[in-house]
Amino acid sequence: LGAAVTFDNHCMTIDVPHELNCETPVELVRKMRASSLVLGPLVARCGRALLPLPGGCVLGSRPLDFHLKGLAKMGAEIELKGGAVTATAGKLSGATISLEFPSVGATENLMMAAALAEGTTFIENAAKEPEIVNLAEILRLMGAPVKGDGTETIRVTGAGSLHSASGEIIPDRIEAATYLMAGVITNGSVTVRGISPNYMEAILNKLREAGVEIDVFGSEITAKWVAPLKGVTIKTMPYPGFPTDTQPQLMAVLTLANGTSVIHESVFDSRLLHINEFKKMGAKIEVQDNIAIVTGVGRLNGAEVHSSNLRAGAALILLALAAEDDTTICDLQHVWRGYEGLVEKLRALGAEIEFTE
C-alpha cells in the first residue's frame, strides 16, 4: 500500500506516506482473511479502496456483508465486481450501525473507519473480545475518542486526523491455550507466561471441567494433567463465551477423554472439516449438522493428514504429539502465520518434530 515497515525485536514500526495506494494486491489479500481490515481505513483516509475478496482459512461461509453494510451506512458507495469490492466516499459520516452478529472483523473495520469520519458513530451489538479493547486503546493513543469498547455499544467520535503513537499488542490468548492443551494431551504440564488469565476464563473453565488442574499466578498459567480426562459439553460463542478458535484444539484433547463430549460449533458453518483427518488417526467422532459427538478412545495412531485451516493444523499437531508412531501433517501454510516459533517452542517442551519436503 506504500507504507515503509520495519520489524525488529518484536517491535513493528510503520511509516505511512501522505499518499497511499488504495488498491490492495490480490496475491497478498487472497492469502489471508484478515486482509479485509484495510478496507475501512483506506476508504476513510483515501476516499477509495479496492479489495479483492479475501482468501485464507477454509471455514465456510464468511461474507463481508457486515463490513460493507456498515460502511454503506456511513456513506460509502459499495460495488462488487469481478471478484473485488470497491468502496468510495467523499467523506464518511458518523452513523448508528447495528451488527446482525458481533463480528470481530466488522467491529474493527468500522471502528477504524469511524475514527476518520465526520461526527460520531455508534456500533451496536459490537464484538467484545480483548483484541477489540486493544484496538480501541491504540486508536485513543492516536487521537480518536473511543468509548464503550468491551461492551455491546462502541462510540467513536471522528477525528480530523490521527497522529503517530506507540502502543502495545496484547498476548495471543489462542496461542497460549494451544500450548496449555499440548501439555494436557501428552499427560504432562505446560506453563505459559505473560498472558492475562482474564482473557482465557472460558477456556480455563472448560479445561477444569474436563479434569485438568489449572494454576494461576499473576500472568502465569499452568495446565497439568493429573488423571484421565472426562467428557464435556461445549458451544462456541462470541467473547466472553468459548472461542471458536480453540474448538479444534480442545476437540483434539477430548478424543482421549473418558466418556462422550458434545461440541456445538455455532460461529462458523464449516469449522468441523478437520474431523475426517482426526478419524484417520483413530478418533471416534460423529457429526450431526454443526454438532460433533466425540467418544474418547484409548490411543491414537500416526497417519498422513492434511490441514484445512490455521486452528485445524494446530489441532492436528496436538494429536500428533499424543499419537503412537509418526504423523505427517501436510498443508501447514496457514499455521505458520498464526504461531510464531511453534516448532521451536514445542521442541523446547520435548517434542520430536522435523520438516520434510
Side-chain angles (χ1 to χ4, degrees):
L1 299 177
V5 182
T6 58
F7 190 64
D8 182 52
N9 194 27
H10 299 283
C11 182
M12 179 179 287
T13 303
I14 306 171
D15 187 10
V16 184
H18 181 69
E19 295 291 335
L20 274 174
N21 298 332
C22 59
E23 298 188 4
T24 56
V26 62
E27 67 276 8
L28 294 178
V29 172
R30 290 277 159 82
K31 288 182 178 180
M32 189 165 155
R33 166 79 181 183
S35 301
S36 61
L37 292 178
V38 301
L39 186 62
L42 280 180
V43 70
R45 181 165 180 150
C46 305
R48 181 175 182 270
L50 187 148
L51 179 81
L53 293 177
C57 291
V58 179
L59 295 169
S61 161
R62 298 209 299 178
L64 291 177
D65 292 7
F66 303 150
H67 305 240
L68 302 182
K69 287 178 181 177
L71 290 172
K73 202 90 181 281
M74 298 170 71
E77 294 185 9
I78 307 295
E79 181 183 17
L80 285 166
K81 186 177 180 181
V85 176
T86 301
T88 55
K91 183 70 176 177
L92 295 177
S93 301
T96 297
I97 302 164
S98 184
L99 296 175
E100 297 173 37
F101 180 85
S103 160
V104 173
T107 301
E108 291 170 336
N109 232 339
L110 296 173
M111 286 170 66
M112 291 185 286
L116 285 177
E118 290 182 346
T120 300
T121 297
F122 293 89
I123 305 170
E124 299 176 343
N125 196 27
K128 303 175 186 175
E129 273 74 358
E131 292 77 19
I132 296 292
V133 177
N134 195 194
L135 173 60
E137 291 170 350
I138 300 295
L139 288 173
R140 282 191 285 266
L141 288 172
M142 299 174 73
V146 182
K147 295 182 178 180
D149 43 293
T151 74
E152 290 185 355
T153 302
I154 298 175
R155 173 181 172 177
V156 184
T157 302
S161 63
L162 302 179
H163 54 70
S164 298
S166 177
E168 187 172 339
I169 297 173
I170 61 174
D172 187 333
R173 58 199 168 95
I174 308 302
E175 180 189 20
T178 302
Y179 291 123
L180 293 176
M181 293 183 197
V184 174
I185 201 170
T186 54
N187 296 355
S189 174
V190 167
T191 299
V192 295
R193 298 186 176 95
I195 181 80
S196 170
N198 295 333
Y199 298 160
M200 302 178 61
E201 190 171 347
I203 299 168
L204 299 180
N205 285 342
K206 278 300 170 185
L207 288 174
R208 288 189 182 102
E209 187 181 334
V212 178
E213 182 178 296
I214 302 291
D215 293 319
V216 175
F217 183 75
S219 61
E220 186 174 296
I221 304 170
T222 299
K224 182 179 181 180
W225 183 94
V226 290
L229 302 182
K230 55 188 177 183
V232 296
T233 298
I234 301 159
K235 182 177 181 179
T236 62
M237 297 285 285
Y239 189 86
F242 190 89
T244 180
D245 277 353
T246 54
Q247 175 261 106
Q249 299 94 305
L250 186 55
M251 184 185 293
V253 171
L254 294 172
T255 61
L256 293 170
N258 287 338
T260 300
S261 298
V262 178
I263 300 174
H264 181 188
E265 174 54 57
S266 72
V267 177
F268 293 122
D269 56 13
S270 292
R271 194 159 216 168
L272 297 177
L273 297 176
H274 52 275
I275 287 176
N276 286 335
E277 304 304 301
F278 279 29
K279 288 182 176 180
K280 292 178 184 178
M281 299 180 68
K284 187 176 179 181
I285 306 172
E286 297 180 7
V287 179
Q288 299 175 3
D289 296 322
N290 256 17
I291 297 175
I293 301 169
V294 183
T295 302
V297 297
R299 61 194 288 269
L300 295 168
N301 307 309
E304 179 175 310
V305 290
H306 294 258
S307 166
S308 58
N309 62 70
L310 165 58
R311 306 305 174 185
L316 289 169
I317 291 172
L318 296 187
L319 285 179
L321 292 174
E324 298 180 7
D325 303 318
D326 294 340
T327 298
T328 300
I329 307 171
C330 307
D331 303 323
L332 285 173
Q333 63 272 16
H334 294 305
V335 174
W336 309 136
R337 65 172 169 79
Y339 293 89
E340 182 182 13
L342 172 70
V343 171
E344 292 77 12
K345 290 174 183 176
L346 291 176
R347 282 175 177 163
L349 292 168
E352 295 180 11
I353 303 177
E354 63 180 53
F355 289 104
T356 58
E357 294 296 329

